[in-house]
């Protein structure tokens, strides 16, 4: 059984990926500092998969702690690195905290990998690297635009660190550029945990459906899109999770064409904000009250993925529909609120 280290494994995408890894027969080691997640998630992952994981509370920014982790967990075959701070607005206020946290952690892990002879690394990147793309759907070869926030820049710099490290060191890596991960596991046991007012669209929709928010503000209705609202490529978090299994397997089986590869992880379909509101009504029967509001600073008009490379090389494609995504998000919201068991 191959052993995979999942950093940030109690977080949103990390927890879903840990479940899929266990389901696929891997041994899972999670390293997380629990700064934005709860230890209960470990039990929930184990409950869903019916298997145990090995959990370590680790500050990945601390080189000694990372070395100790690799020493204790011998024979790690690959690392999937999710652990990062990810609030765009906070990163603007606290740029040094973001650069220190996100980059030091990644560098420490790569250093320990070299020291302990671990070769394979999968990185959480983001479609934010494309900014406002010149052509749609956006391919992996599209120009990387100057990052709008320190958070976005840590993703771009993270990719560059990998590109350069793979050139001269015994490391092979894949960056997965996620589009908009949404939804939750069908069990309703794991999902995206909200602190305060949701920044993202789907949690805002489910909190409005629950009655916690009176209405949804739709940020911008004068974009050059079919209905004037922004277009995104929403993807079920379980599909994002299975993309990581495909990436790890490509590296473990030596099927990667180059030492460093990049893949878009999306459905390839663009949905506007209004499309999402309508899809939620179709999926759940609940109409979301909304108000058309001014544009939100920093939003790009439209972005959706060209998914051909992931299909042809990773043999991976998204399986879930937008209704599946929204039903699972609503199920998670209701379970958290104790409306359903
Ligand atoms: N959005 C919105 N109202 C909200 C939250 C988001 O209209 O309360 C819009 C936002 O302007 C963007 C889309 O929904 O066009 C997706 O936003 P989200 O924050 O979920 O993802 P990202 O900005 O990372 O693409």
């Amino acid at each position: 059984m191959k052993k995979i280290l999942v950093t940030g494994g109690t977080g949103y995408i990390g927890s879903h990926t840990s479940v899929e890894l266990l389901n696929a027969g891997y041994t899972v080691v999670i390293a997380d500092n629990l700064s934005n997640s709860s230890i209960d998630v470990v039990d929930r992952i184990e409950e869903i998969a019916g298997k145990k994981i090995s959990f370590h509370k680790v500050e990945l920014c601390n080189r000694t702690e990372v070395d100790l982790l690799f020493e204790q967990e011998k024979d790690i075959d690959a690392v999937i690195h999710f652990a990062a701070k990810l609030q765009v607005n906070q990163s603007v206020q606290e740029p040094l905290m973001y650069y220190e946290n996100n980059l030091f952690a990644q560098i420490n892990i790569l250093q320990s990998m070299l020291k302990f002879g671990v070769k394979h690394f999968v990185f959480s990147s983001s479609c934010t690297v494309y900014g406002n793309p010149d052509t749609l759907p956006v391919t992996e070869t599209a120009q990387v635009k100057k990052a709008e926030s320190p958070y976005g820049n840590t993703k771009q710099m993270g990719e560059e660190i990998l590109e350069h490290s793979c050139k001269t060191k015994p490391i092979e890596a894949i960056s997965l550029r996620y589009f908009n991960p949404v939804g939750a596991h069908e069990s309703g046991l794991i999902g995206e945990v909200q602190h305060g007012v949701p920044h993202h669209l789907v949690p805002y929709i489910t909190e409005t459906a629950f009655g916690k928010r009176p209405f949804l503000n739709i940020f911008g209705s004068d974009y050059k899109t079919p209905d004037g609202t922004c277009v995104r490529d929403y993807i079920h978090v379980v599909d994002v999770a299975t993309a990581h299994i495909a990436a790890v397997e490509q590296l473990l089986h030596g099927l990667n064409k180059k030492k460093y590869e990049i893949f878009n992880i999306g459905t390839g379909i663009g949905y506007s904000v209004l499309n999402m509101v309508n899809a939620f009504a179709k999926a759940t029967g609940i109409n979301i009250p909304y108000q058309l509001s001014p544009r939100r600073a920093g939003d790009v008009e439209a972005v959706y993925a060209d998914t051909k490379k992931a299909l042809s090389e990773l043999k991976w494609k998204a399986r879930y529909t937008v209704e599946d995504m929204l039903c699972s998000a609503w199920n998670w919201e209701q379970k958290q609120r104790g409306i359903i068991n």
Side-chain angles (χ1 to χ4, degrees):
M1 261 199 287
K2 298 276 186 192
K3 191 192 265 191
I4 314 296
L5 170 62
V6 183
T7 74
T10 52
Y12 176 43
I13 304 175
S15 57
H16 289 81
T17 301
S18 298
V19 167
E20 296 306 319
L21 283 167
L22 290 171
N23 288 345
Y26 290 95
T27 299
V28 174
V29 176
I30 290 182
D32 202 303
N33 67 1
L34 300 175
S35 62
N36 194 33
S37 59
S38 153
I39 189 70
D40 301 349
V41 175
V42 172
D43 297 335
R44 290 166 175 234
I45 294 168
E46 290 180 342
E47 187 182 334
I48 296 169
K51 291 179 189 162
K52 290 283 176 199
I53 54 183
S54 167
F55 177 80
H56 297 254
K57 189 165 185 293
V58 179
E59 279 305 337
L60 297 166
C61 293
N62 181 319
R63 188 69 208 283
T64 317
E65 285 194 34
V66 181
D67 269 351
L68 188 65
L69 169 70
F70 276 77
E71 211 170 283
Q72 287 173 342
E73 289 290 350
K74 302 231 169 345
D75 309 324
I76 290 170
D77 293 288
V79 178
I80 306 181
H81 179 48
F82 293 104
K85 290 199 170 291
L86 40 74
Q87 288 176 39
V88 175
N89 293 341
Q90 188 185 37
S91 81
V92 174
Q93 298 306 318
E94 298 294 343
L96 297 178
M97 182 171 94
Y98 269 68
Y99 286 116
E100 179 174 350
N101 187 81
N102 293 3
L103 298 182
F104 282 22
Q106 186 185 348
I107 292 167
N108 287 343
I109 293 162
L110 291 168
Q111 293 279 26
S112 291
M113 285 172 60
L114 290 175
K115 191 165 164 185
F116 291 87
V118 181
K119 259 176 70 177
H120 305 121
F121 188 91
V122 178
F123 182 56
S124 290
S125 190
S126 161
C127 70
T128 54
V129 302
Y130 298 122
N132 234 328
D134 301 325
T135 48
L136 288 170
V138 65
T139 65
E140 290 83 352
T141 53
Q143 189 195 347
V144 168
K145 300 276 175 70
K146 187 171 165 50
E148 295 244 356
S149 69
Y151 162 73
N153 209 24
T154 63
K155 292 294 171 196
Q156 292 191 9
M157 292 169 82
E159 287 196 0
E160 284 170 357
I161 288 169
L162 290 178
E163 190 181 352
H164 295 157
S165 303
C166 288
K167 272 193 184 135
T168 54
K169 298 290 175 191
I171 286 180
E172 306 203 359
I174 290 178
S175 286
L176 298 180
R177 290 179 176 164
Y178 317 145
F179 281 66
N180 287 55
V182 298
H185 193 266
E186 62 177 2
S187 63
L189 288 171
I190 52 172
E192 189 172 14
V193 178
Q194 289 302 313
H195 303 287
V197 182
H199 177 83
H200 291 304
L201 178 65
V202 171
Y204 208 104
I205 288 178
T206 56
E207 288 201 0
T208 307
F210 163 68
K212 189 168 177 192
R213 314 273 160 212
F215 56 86
L216 168 75
N217 280 298
I218 294 187
F219 298 135
S221 51
D222 58 349
Y223 286 100
K224 286 197 220 84
T225 57
D227 63 24
T229 67
C230 289
V231 169
R232 297 285 182 278
D233 185 339
Y234 297 92
I235 174 165
H236 199 301
V237 64
V238 173
D239 277 330
V240 176
T242 60
H244 291 80
I245 318 301
V248 159
E249 293 192 338
Q250 194 188 55
L251 292 172
L252 292 176
H253 299 151
L255 298 172
N256 43 318
K257 288 190 177 164
K258 289 185 275 161
K259 284 183 75 189
Y260 176 58
E261 292 279 6
I262 297 171
F263 294 96
N264 283 342
I265 301 301
T267 63
I269 306 168
Y271 278 86
S272 73
V273 180
L274 277 171
N275 290 155
M276 292 299 278
V277 169
N278 293 333
F280 189 81
K282 194 172 154 208
T284 66
I286 302 170
N287 288 312
I288 299 296
Y290 66 82
Q291 179 173 297
L292 299 178
S293 307
R295 292 182 177 198
R296 182 172 74 176
D299 272 343
V300 304
E301 183 167 271
V303 62
Y304 50 93
D306 184 311
T307 58
K308 286 201 254 338
K309 188 178 176 199
L311 181 60
S312 71
E313 294 184 27
L314 288 182
K315 313 286 178 232
W316 169 91
K317 73 171 190 228
R319 291 185 303 132
Y320 292 98
T321 65
V322 82
E323 279 82 19
D324 297 331
M325 300 172 207
L326 293 169
C327 273
S328 70
W330 179 227
N331 181 46
W332 164 243
E333 181 76 47
Q334 292 181 93
K335 284 218 167 169
Q336 280 196 298
R337 307 280 168 207
I339 300 171
I340 54 171
N341 289 317

